[in-house]
Short mmCIF file of all heavy atoms in Angstrom, two decimals:
data_model
loop_
_atom_site.label_atom_id
_atom_site.label_comp_id
_atom_site.label_asym_id
_atom_site.label_seq_id
_atom_site.Cartn_x
_atom_site.Cartn_y
_atom_site.Cartn_z
N GLU A 26 22.80 14.21 36.24
CA GLU A 26 23.94 14.66 35.36
C GLU A 26 24.80 13.31 35.13
O GLU A 26 25.49 12.97 36.14
CB GLU A 26 24.75 15.67 36.01
CG GLU A 26 24.04 17.07 36.24
CD GLU A 26 24.84 17.98 37.07
OE1 GLU A 26 26.13 17.90 37.05
OE2 GLU A 26 24.28 18.95 37.71
N PRO A 27 24.74 12.78 33.93
CA PRO A 27 25.43 11.55 33.71
C PRO A 27 26.96 11.81 33.74
O PRO A 27 27.49 12.97 33.61
CB PRO A 27 25.14 11.12 32.26
CG PRO A 27 23.77 11.95 32.03
CD PRO A 27 23.96 13.30 32.72
N GLY A 28 27.77 10.74 33.76
CA GLY A 28 29.16 10.92 33.77
C GLY A 28 29.69 9.70 34.47
O GLY A 28 29.05 8.71 35.00
N ARG A 29 31.06 9.57 34.66
CA ARG A 29 31.67 8.54 35.34
C ARG A 29 31.19 8.38 36.78
O ARG A 29 30.92 7.33 37.28
CB ARG A 29 33.19 8.66 35.27
CG ARG A 29 33.97 7.42 35.88
CD ARG A 29 35.43 7.57 35.56
NE ARG A 29 36.12 6.44 36.03
CZ ARG A 29 37.39 6.21 35.97
NH1 ARG A 29 38.12 7.05 35.25
NH2 ARG A 29 37.91 5.13 36.38
N THR A 30 31.06 9.65 37.35
CA THR A 30 30.26 9.74 38.56
C THR A 30 28.99 10.53 38.30
O THR A 30 29.07 11.56 37.62
CB THR A 30 31.00 10.46 39.73
OG1 THR A 30 32.32 9.79 39.99
CG2 THR A 30 30.25 10.69 40.94
N VAL A 31 27.86 9.99 38.57
CA VAL A 31 26.54 10.63 38.29
C VAL A 31 26.16 11.52 39.47
O VAL A 31 26.24 11.10 40.59
CB VAL A 31 25.50 9.50 38.06
CG1 VAL A 31 24.14 10.16 37.61
CG2 VAL A 31 25.95 8.46 36.96
N SER A 32 25.72 12.69 39.08
CA SER A 32 25.23 13.60 40.22
C SER A 32 23.76 13.73 40.04
O SER A 32 23.16 14.00 38.97
CB SER A 32 25.82 14.94 40.01
OG SER A 32 27.20 14.86 40.22
N LEU A 33 23.08 13.52 41.15
CA LEU A 33 21.54 13.69 41.25
C LEU A 33 21.24 14.85 42.12
O LEU A 33 21.75 14.85 43.34
CB LEU A 33 20.99 12.25 41.80
CG LEU A 33 21.23 11.03 41.08
CD1 LEU A 33 22.47 10.43 41.67
CD2 LEU A 33 20.03 10.10 41.12
N THR A 34 20.40 15.72 41.69
CA THR A 34 20.10 16.94 42.43
C THR A 34 18.70 17.01 42.87
O THR A 34 17.86 16.72 42.08
CB THR A 34 20.39 18.17 41.63
OG1 THR A 34 21.81 18.19 41.14
CG2 THR A 34 20.13 19.43 42.33
N SER A 35 18.55 17.34 44.13
CA SER A 35 17.17 17.44 44.77
C SER A 35 17.01 18.89 45.16
O SER A 35 17.93 19.70 45.01
CB SER A 35 16.89 16.50 45.86
OG SER A 35 15.66 16.51 46.32
N THR A 36 15.99 19.26 45.93
CA THR A 36 15.71 20.59 46.32
C THR A 36 16.82 21.18 47.21
O THR A 36 17.28 22.36 46.95
CB THR A 36 14.37 20.71 47.07
OG1 THR A 36 13.37 20.07 46.30
CG2 THR A 36 14.05 22.10 47.36
N HIS A 37 17.31 20.32 48.15
CA HIS A 37 18.33 20.89 49.15
C HIS A 37 19.53 20.07 49.27
O HIS A 37 20.29 20.09 50.17
CB HIS A 37 17.66 20.92 50.58
CG HIS A 37 16.41 21.85 50.64
ND1 HIS A 37 16.46 23.18 50.46
CD2 HIS A 37 15.12 21.51 50.88
CE1 HIS A 37 15.33 23.73 50.59
NE2 HIS A 37 14.43 22.70 50.79
N GLY A 38 19.73 19.18 48.22
CA GLY A 38 20.89 18.41 48.34
C GLY A 38 21.29 17.71 47.07
O GLY A 38 20.59 17.84 46.07
N ARG A 39 22.51 16.98 47.07
CA ARG A 39 23.03 16.33 45.91
C ARG A 39 23.71 15.04 46.30
O ARG A 39 24.33 15.03 47.34
CB ARG A 39 23.99 17.27 45.21
CG ARG A 39 24.54 16.74 43.85
CD ARG A 39 25.46 17.66 43.29
NE ARG A 39 24.99 19.01 42.85
CZ ARG A 39 24.96 19.52 41.72
NH1 ARG A 39 25.55 18.81 40.64
NH2 ARG A 39 24.30 20.63 41.44
N VAL A 40 23.55 14.08 45.45
CA VAL A 40 24.23 12.72 45.70
C VAL A 40 25.14 12.48 44.41
O VAL A 40 24.61 12.59 43.31
CB VAL A 40 23.21 11.68 45.73
CG1 VAL A 40 23.88 10.28 45.89
CG2 VAL A 40 22.39 11.69 47.06
N HIS A 41 26.21 12.15 44.75
CA HIS A 41 27.32 11.74 43.70
C HIS A 41 27.45 10.23 43.91
O HIS A 41 27.85 9.70 44.85
CB HIS A 41 28.60 12.43 43.86
CG HIS A 41 28.51 13.90 44.07
ND1 HIS A 41 28.32 14.79 42.88
CD2 HIS A 41 28.50 14.72 45.03
CE1 HIS A 41 28.21 15.99 43.36
NE2 HIS A 41 28.30 16.05 44.60
N ALA A 42 27.11 9.46 42.74
CA ALA A 42 27.15 8.06 42.80
C ALA A 42 27.92 7.30 41.71
O ALA A 42 27.83 7.89 40.62
CB ALA A 42 25.64 7.58 42.82
N ASN A 43 28.52 6.25 41.87
CA ASN A 43 29.14 5.47 40.78
C ASN A 43 28.20 4.86 39.78
O ASN A 43 28.46 4.64 38.73
CB ASN A 43 30.12 4.45 41.44
CG ASN A 43 31.12 4.96 42.28
OD1 ASN A 43 31.65 6.06 42.01
ND2 ASN A 43 31.56 4.32 43.37
N ALA A 44 26.97 4.55 40.36
CA ALA A 44 25.98 3.93 39.57
C ALA A 44 24.57 4.44 39.91
O ALA A 44 24.39 4.73 41.21
CB ALA A 44 25.97 2.37 39.51
N VAL A 45 23.72 4.44 39.15
CA VAL A 45 22.23 4.87 39.50
C VAL A 45 21.31 3.87 38.86
O VAL A 45 21.46 3.34 37.86
CB VAL A 45 21.90 6.26 38.74
CG1 VAL A 45 20.52 6.57 38.91
CG2 VAL A 45 22.74 7.33 39.42
N VAL A 46 20.18 3.61 39.68
CA VAL A 46 19.09 2.72 39.31
C VAL A 46 17.86 3.68 39.27
O VAL A 46 17.45 4.31 40.18
CB VAL A 46 18.90 1.63 40.19
CG1 VAL A 46 17.53 0.80 39.88
CG2 VAL A 46 20.11 0.56 40.00
N LEU A 47 17.25 3.55 38.03
CA LEU A 47 15.89 4.34 37.96
C LEU A 47 14.78 3.33 38.17
O LEU A 47 14.57 2.46 37.37
CB LEU A 47 15.79 4.99 36.56
CG LEU A 47 16.87 6.01 36.13
CD1 LEU A 47 16.71 6.37 34.74
CD2 LEU A 47 16.90 7.16 37.10
N ALA A 48 14.06 3.50 39.29
CA ALA A 48 13.01 2.49 39.71
C ALA A 48 11.85 3.38 40.06
O ALA A 48 11.14 3.09 41.07
CB ALA A 48 13.49 1.73 40.92
N SER A 49 11.55 4.29 39.25
CA SER A 49 10.50 5.27 39.48
C SER A 49 9.19 4.90 38.70
O SER A 49 8.23 5.66 38.74
CB SER A 49 10.90 6.67 39.13
OG SER A 49 11.37 6.79 37.69
N ASN A 50 9.21 3.71 38.03
CA ASN A 50 8.03 3.27 37.38
C ASN A 50 7.25 4.33 36.57
O ASN A 50 7.99 4.77 35.64
CB ASN A 50 7.02 2.61 38.40
CG ASN A 50 7.67 1.49 39.09
OD1 ASN A 50 8.39 0.75 38.54
ND2 ASN A 50 7.48 1.40 40.45
N ALA A 51 5.99 4.69 36.76
CA ALA A 51 5.27 5.49 35.85
C ALA A 51 6.01 6.93 35.62
O ALA A 51 5.90 7.51 34.63
CB ALA A 51 3.86 5.73 36.37
N TRP A 52 6.64 7.38 36.76
CA TRP A 52 7.40 8.64 36.69
C TRP A 52 8.60 8.55 35.66
O TRP A 52 8.99 9.56 35.23
CB TRP A 52 7.91 9.05 38.04
CG TRP A 52 6.70 9.69 38.88
CD1 TRP A 52 6.40 10.90 39.02
CD2 TRP A 52 5.80 8.85 39.78
NE1 TRP A 52 5.40 11.07 39.91
CE2 TRP A 52 5.10 9.84 40.33
CE3 TRP A 52 5.68 7.54 39.96
CZ2 TRP A 52 4.03 9.43 41.22
CZ3 TRP A 52 4.74 7.14 40.75
CH2 TRP A 52 3.82 8.12 41.43
N ALA A 53 8.92 7.31 35.26
CA ALA A 53 10.05 7.23 34.27
C ALA A 53 9.72 7.85 32.87
O ALA A 53 10.58 8.11 32.06
CB ALA A 53 10.55 5.84 34.20
N ALA A 54 8.39 7.94 32.64
CA ALA A 54 7.92 8.48 31.32
C ALA A 54 8.33 9.96 31.21
O ALA A 54 8.23 10.52 30.03
CB ALA A 54 6.35 8.35 31.36
N SER A 55 8.91 10.55 32.15
CA SER A 55 9.48 12.01 31.97
C SER A 55 10.75 12.04 31.30
O SER A 55 11.36 13.04 30.89
CB SER A 55 9.54 12.75 33.31
OG SER A 55 10.50 12.04 34.17
N ILE A 56 11.36 10.82 31.19
CA ILE A 56 12.68 10.71 30.52
C ILE A 56 12.53 10.24 29.10
O ILE A 56 11.88 9.24 28.78
CB ILE A 56 13.61 9.62 31.14
CG1 ILE A 56 13.91 10.05 32.54
CG2 ILE A 56 14.91 9.41 30.38
CD1 ILE A 56 14.58 9.03 33.48
N PRO A 57 12.77 11.05 28.01
CA PRO A 57 12.34 10.76 26.68
C PRO A 57 12.69 9.46 26.12
O PRO A 57 11.94 8.80 25.55
CB PRO A 57 13.14 11.90 25.91
CG PRO A 57 13.30 13.00 26.82
CD PRO A 57 13.47 12.39 28.14
N GLU A 58 13.87 8.83 26.50
CA GLU A 58 14.30 7.58 26.02
C GLU A 58 13.42 6.44 26.61
O GLU A 58 13.07 5.40 25.90
CB GLU A 58 15.81 7.28 26.51
CG GLU A 58 16.34 5.95 26.03
CD GLU A 58 17.67 5.70 26.46
OE1 GLU A 58 18.44 6.68 26.64
OE2 GLU A 58 18.16 4.48 26.48
N LEU A 59 12.85 6.70 27.75
CA LEU A 59 12.01 5.63 28.44
C LEU A 59 10.52 5.93 28.11
O LEU A 59 9.74 4.98 28.23
CB LEU A 59 12.22 5.68 30.01
CG LEU A 59 13.66 5.44 30.32
CD1 LEU A 59 13.74 5.30 31.92
CD2 LEU A 59 14.22 4.14 29.76
N ALA A 60 10.13 7.15 27.70
CA ALA A 60 8.88 7.51 27.55
C ALA A 60 8.27 6.68 26.32
O ALA A 60 6.99 6.33 26.39
CB ALA A 60 8.62 9.09 27.19
N LYS A 61 9.04 6.28 25.41
CA LYS A 61 8.53 5.53 24.26
C LYS A 61 8.20 4.14 24.70
O LYS A 61 7.53 3.38 23.89
CB LYS A 61 9.47 5.55 23.12
CG LYS A 61 10.82 4.98 23.38
CD LYS A 61 11.89 5.24 22.26
CE LYS A 61 13.16 4.73 22.53
NZ LYS A 61 14.15 4.87 21.46
N LEU A 62 8.77 3.70 25.80
CA LEU A 62 8.58 2.21 26.22
C LEU A 62 7.29 2.03 27.06
O LEU A 62 6.80 0.97 27.06
CB LEU A 62 9.96 1.72 26.84
CG LEU A 62 11.15 1.83 26.29
CD1 LEU A 62 12.29 1.39 27.16
CD2 LEU A 62 11.07 0.85 24.92
N VAL A 63 6.96 2.96 27.84
CA VAL A 63 5.78 2.91 28.70
C VAL A 63 4.82 4.10 28.53
O VAL A 63 5.19 5.17 28.15
CB VAL A 63 6.31 2.88 30.24
CG1 VAL A 63 7.19 1.60 30.49
CG2 VAL A 63 7.03 4.14 30.61
N VAL A 64 3.64 3.87 28.78
CA VAL A 64 2.62 4.92 28.92
C VAL A 64 1.99 4.84 30.34
O VAL A 64 1.55 3.71 30.70
CB VAL A 64 1.53 4.81 27.84
CG1 VAL A 64 0.79 3.60 27.85
CG2 VAL A 64 0.68 6.07 27.91
N PRO A 65 1.85 5.81 31.13
CA PRO A 65 1.14 5.80 32.40
C PRO A 65 -0.28 5.86 32.25
O PRO A 65 -0.87 6.65 31.52
CB PRO A 65 1.66 7.07 33.15
CG PRO A 65 2.90 7.50 32.43
CD PRO A 65 2.71 7.06 30.99
N VAL A 66 -0.93 4.87 32.80
CA VAL A 66 -2.41 4.79 32.79
C VAL A 66 -2.92 4.54 34.35
O VAL A 66 -2.21 4.13 35.03
CB VAL A 66 -3.01 3.58 31.96
CG1 VAL A 66 -2.46 3.71 30.51
CG2 VAL A 66 -2.50 2.12 32.42
N ASN A 67 -4.11 4.86 34.58
CA ASN A 67 -4.58 4.84 35.95
C ASN A 67 -5.34 3.59 36.15
O ASN A 67 -5.77 2.90 35.29
CB ASN A 67 -5.44 6.08 36.29
CG ASN A 67 -6.83 6.10 35.91
OD1 ASN A 67 -7.19 5.26 35.01
ND2 ASN A 67 -7.58 7.00 36.33
N SER A 68 -5.40 3.20 37.43
CA SER A 68 -6.23 2.14 37.90
C SER A 68 -6.97 2.70 39.19
O SER A 68 -6.23 3.51 39.93
CB SER A 68 -5.31 0.93 38.18
OG SER A 68 -6.18 -0.18 38.58
N SER A 69 -8.04 2.23 39.52
CA SER A 69 -8.76 2.71 40.66
C SER A 69 -9.29 1.63 41.55
O SER A 69 -9.55 0.54 40.94
CB SER A 69 -9.86 3.64 40.26
OG SER A 69 -9.46 4.85 39.52
N ILE A 70 -9.34 1.86 42.81
CA ILE A 70 -9.85 0.81 43.76
C ILE A 70 -10.91 1.43 44.64
O ILE A 70 -10.77 2.61 45.15
CB ILE A 70 -8.65 0.32 44.57
CG1 ILE A 70 -7.73 -0.40 43.73
CG2 ILE A 70 -9.13 -0.63 45.82
CD1 ILE A 70 -6.43 -1.00 44.38
N VAL A 71 -11.86 0.65 45.07
CA VAL A 71 -12.87 1.08 46.11
C VAL A 71 -12.76 -0.05 47.16
O VAL A 71 -12.48 -1.08 46.93
CB VAL A 71 -14.25 1.26 45.63
CG1 VAL A 71 -14.35 2.41 44.58
CG2 VAL A 71 -14.80 0.03 44.97
N VAL A 72 -12.96 0.37 48.50
CA VAL A 72 -13.00 -0.51 49.57
C VAL A 72 -14.33 -0.38 50.32
O VAL A 72 -14.78 0.76 50.61
CB VAL A 72 -11.73 -0.30 50.37
CG1 VAL A 72 -11.73 -1.21 51.62
CG2 VAL A 72 -10.54 -0.42 49.64
N THR A 73 -14.83 -1.47 50.75
CA THR A 73 -16.12 -1.45 51.52
C THR A 73 -15.82 -1.28 52.99
O THR A 73 -14.72 -1.62 53.40
CB THR A 73 -16.97 -2.81 51.34
OG1 THR A 73 -16.24 -3.84 51.91
CG2 THR A 73 -17.12 -3.00 49.82
#
């Protein structure tokens, strides 16, 4: 919830913060403003 103080809600709690940093990488595509900037693609690794 944007505002002068931003509220972030999780399953069992809430944080009220003066500033927020979104560092969720591919998951940021769920935010419409950011979805147009990135597209999540996969990469795969095998190990011997």
Side-chain angles (χ1 to χ4, degrees):
E26 299 172 25
R29 186 169 182 177
T30 298
V31 184
S32 295
L33 303 93
T34 302
S35 186
T36 308
H37 301 293
R39 183 183 294 239
V40 173
H41 307 282
N43 298 327
V45 169
V46 170
L47 302 176
S49 52
N50 297 321
W52 282 266
S55 66
I56 300 172
E58 182 179 338
L59 303 184
K61 62 186 179 182
L62 300 176
V63 295
V64 60
V66 298
N67 79 350
S68 185
S69 298
I70 297 179
V71 297
V72 177
T73 70

